[in-house]
Amino acid sequence: YYYEKSLNAAKQINDNSLVISKNMKYEQIAFTEMRLGINYLEQTSVDGNLELAEKYLLSALEIYENEKYKIIPENKITMFNQVSWLYMEKKECQKSIDFANRALALEKQFNSPYNRVESFEFLATCYLELGQNENSKSYMEKYSLLKDSLNYVDKNNADVTMKKMVSAIDNTYKESTQKSYIIIGI
């Protein structure tokens, strides 16, 4: 509901607005359409959702591929991956592979490991569907290695954050205790 409201609001912005640039307007429209497409892809068991996902994703893709708009590269990588997912769900494996490879090619220019791991997953799945087991195995190994690395980094970042929070609370407690002892002593 809110994605639809956001999309309608963005479409009402004048292309010549002095407040919101045309690039920002179309970036928002494309991103919202992509999110709508993802939402429907996540629920493909519901009749009609795959068609709705395709409608929104291909509409967003038109904007992302239009040279007259300056689109954030990371969003474009995500877009290619979502279209790859769409075609994987539609059992159009070659199209899925093409879009995953486009995402990987762009990802090489703009390092985005979370997008890369997603591309590896789609490639492994599609090559397996096509019976190309060696290619599937290769991408599954890359997927597993990168996924494990990202999980390790995420865990370590969470541990560091938690340690900082515990340390800050500990320091606050020590200061409070010292003040209490001073007040009691006085």
Side-chain angles (χ1 to χ4, degrees):
Y1 173 79
Y2 289 108
Y3 286 138
E4 289 286 349
K5 297 281 274 178
S6 175
L7 184 59
N8 290 333
K11 287 181 176 180
Q12 291 178 14
I13 298 169
N14 187 328
D15 280 357
N16 299 318
S17 171
L18 298 175
V19 178
I20 298 174
S21 72
K22 185 188 284 190
N23 287 334
M24 190 181 295
K25 170 189 174 177
Y26 285 97
E27 174 91 31
Q28 180 62 42
I29 290 170
F31 187 80
T32 303
E33 287 180 331
M34 179 176 62
R35 288 298 311 150
L36 277 163
I38 292 168
N39 185 56
Y40 289 115
L41 271 177
E42 290 172 340
Q43 303 170 36
T44 55
S45 60
V46 176
D47 283 343
N49 276 5
L50 192 57
E51 291 77 16
L52 286 169
E54 183 174 28
K55 170 190 159 190
Y56 285 113
L57 288 173
L58 294 182
S59 177
L61 182 63
E62 278 184 43
I63 295 171
Y64 278 109
E65 290 188 317
N66 193 326
E67 295 294 323
K68 69 181 181 180
Y69 305 118
K70 305 294 181 235
I71 301 295
I72 297 170
E74 287 82 4
N75 288 349
K76 200 170 189 177
I77 296 167
T78 302
M79 180 77 247
F80 290 154
N81 274 333
Q82 301 321 304
V83 174
S84 178
W85 180 16
L86 168 71
Y87 286 124
M88 185 179 72
E89 290 291 335
K90 291 183 72 176
K91 306 293 186 211
E92 296 180 31
C93 291
Q94 192 54 55
K95 284 184 179 180
S96 179
I97 290 168
D98 292 343
F99 276 98
N101 281 326
R102 288 176 68 185
L104 283 176
L106 192 55
E107 191 276 334
K108 285 181 182 177
Q109 298 171 23
F110 307 96
N111 188 25
S112 180
Y114 290 96
N115 281 310
R116 187 177 342 132
V117 78
E118 195 170 45
S119 298
F120 289 159
E121 179 183 11
F122 298 144
L123 288 166
T125 302
C126 286
Y127 280 123
L128 187 61
E129 282 280 323
L130 293 174
Q132 296 180 19
N133 295 340
E134 284 302 312
N135 285 338
S136 177
K137 181 181 175 191
S138 171
Y139 281 108
M140 186 50 77
E141 288 171 358
K142 291 177 182 181
Y143 167 82
S144 296
L145 182 65
L146 184 55
K147 186 78 170 175
D148 290 346
S149 297
L150 291 173
N151 287 338
Y152 178 77
V153 168
D154 288 344
K155 182 187 177 304
N156 282 346
N157 286 343
D159 287 347
V160 168
T161 302
M162 185 59 77
K163 286 177 184 176
K164 286 181 182 178
M165 290 172 59
V166 168
S167 177
I169 291 171
D170 221 16
N171 289 339
T172 304
Y173 176 75
K174 286 178 184 176
E175 289 173 12
S176 176
T177 304
Q178 286 176 344
K179 288 179 185 174
S180 297
Y181 286 145
I182 291 172
I183 291 172
I184 291 171
I186 292 176

